[in-house]
Amino acid sequence: LYTGVLFSPQGTKYVNGGKTLEWEAKLNYIKIPFVVKANSNPNNGVCFLFNAGIEYGILSSATGDYSYWDGVTSSADKDIKDTFKSSALAAMMGFGAQFKFTDQILGHTMLRFDYAFGDIENPDTKTPANRTPTHPGAAGLQIGISYLLGSDN
């Protein structure tokens, strides 16, 4: 079992069907994962790595850009943090390789995926209120280094 802290920029872009409105949201989360880690043979120099668990995401900032294609109305970097819930709980998993540099220093690289359980939009500001829930997901490449405390190898 292990934990850590990650910075995750996320967002979405929307263009309505009539092409009269373009909207983009940029969300930044600080994520704290609680992960179970499995590997094929940690004593080898290189081994297969699999992670799965949950993570708690804290919304650190949210900005939105929109423009109506009437040539007049637009907004850039508007603070829209109140439009979203301040935190989100998500499932995560990743797989990749672990590299043993010394008995106490390990490196890893993995493909990582996460998906939020609940709607991240604030119900007080959601328009229309019965709109489909927003469940963010993210995928990416994670590269890291770990230092093992008290290793008895």
Side-chain angles (χ1 to χ4, degrees):
L1 184 67
Y2 79 92
T3 188
V5 177
L6 303 168
F7 175 73
S8 179
Q10 296 177 211
T12 186
K13 189 170 189 177
Y14 168 79
V15 178
N16 73 344
K19 296 187 178 179
T20 57
L21 168 68
E22 184 175 309
W23 181 77
E24 183 176 8
K26 299 171 189 169
L27 310 175
N28 290 314
Y29 282 92
I30 304 296
K31 295 182 177 181
I32 304 167
F34 299 95
V35 180
V36 174
K37 176 178 159 180
N39 48 36
S40 58
N41 185 347
N43 294 322
N44 285 347
V46 178
C47 66
F48 174 76
L49 180 64
F50 177 77
N51 292 346
I54 60 170
E55 66 185 12
Y56 183 72
I58 301 164
L59 183 63
S60 62
S61 69
T63 58
D65 298 337
Y66 70 88
S67 60
Y68 290 96
W69 292 343
D70 60 6
V72 178
T73 311
S74 68
S75 175
D77 293 329
K78 180 181 177 188
D79 184 0
I80 58 171
K81 193 171 178 180
D82 291 342
T83 307
F84 297 93
K85 293 178 181 173
S86 62
S87 63
L89 191 62
M92 67 77 54
M93 70 174 225
F95 58 90
Q98 177 174 286
F99 309 96
K100 184 176 181 180
F101 301 124
T102 70
D103 284 343
Q104 291 182 289
I105 300 175
L106 306 173
H108 72 267
T109 183
M110 74 169 82
L111 294 176
R112 186 180 190 285
F113 308 92
D114 64 52
Y115 185 77
F117 293 121
D119 188 356
I120 63 163
E121 289 188 76
N122 184 342
D124 297 333
T125 60
K126 192 171 189 171
T127 308
N130 63 349
R131 189 174 68 230
T132 304
T134 302
H135 298 275
L141 178 66
Q142 181 176 332
I143 300 170
I145 294 177
S146 301
Y147 180 79
L148 303 177
L149 299 174
S151 178
D152 47 333
N153 287 336

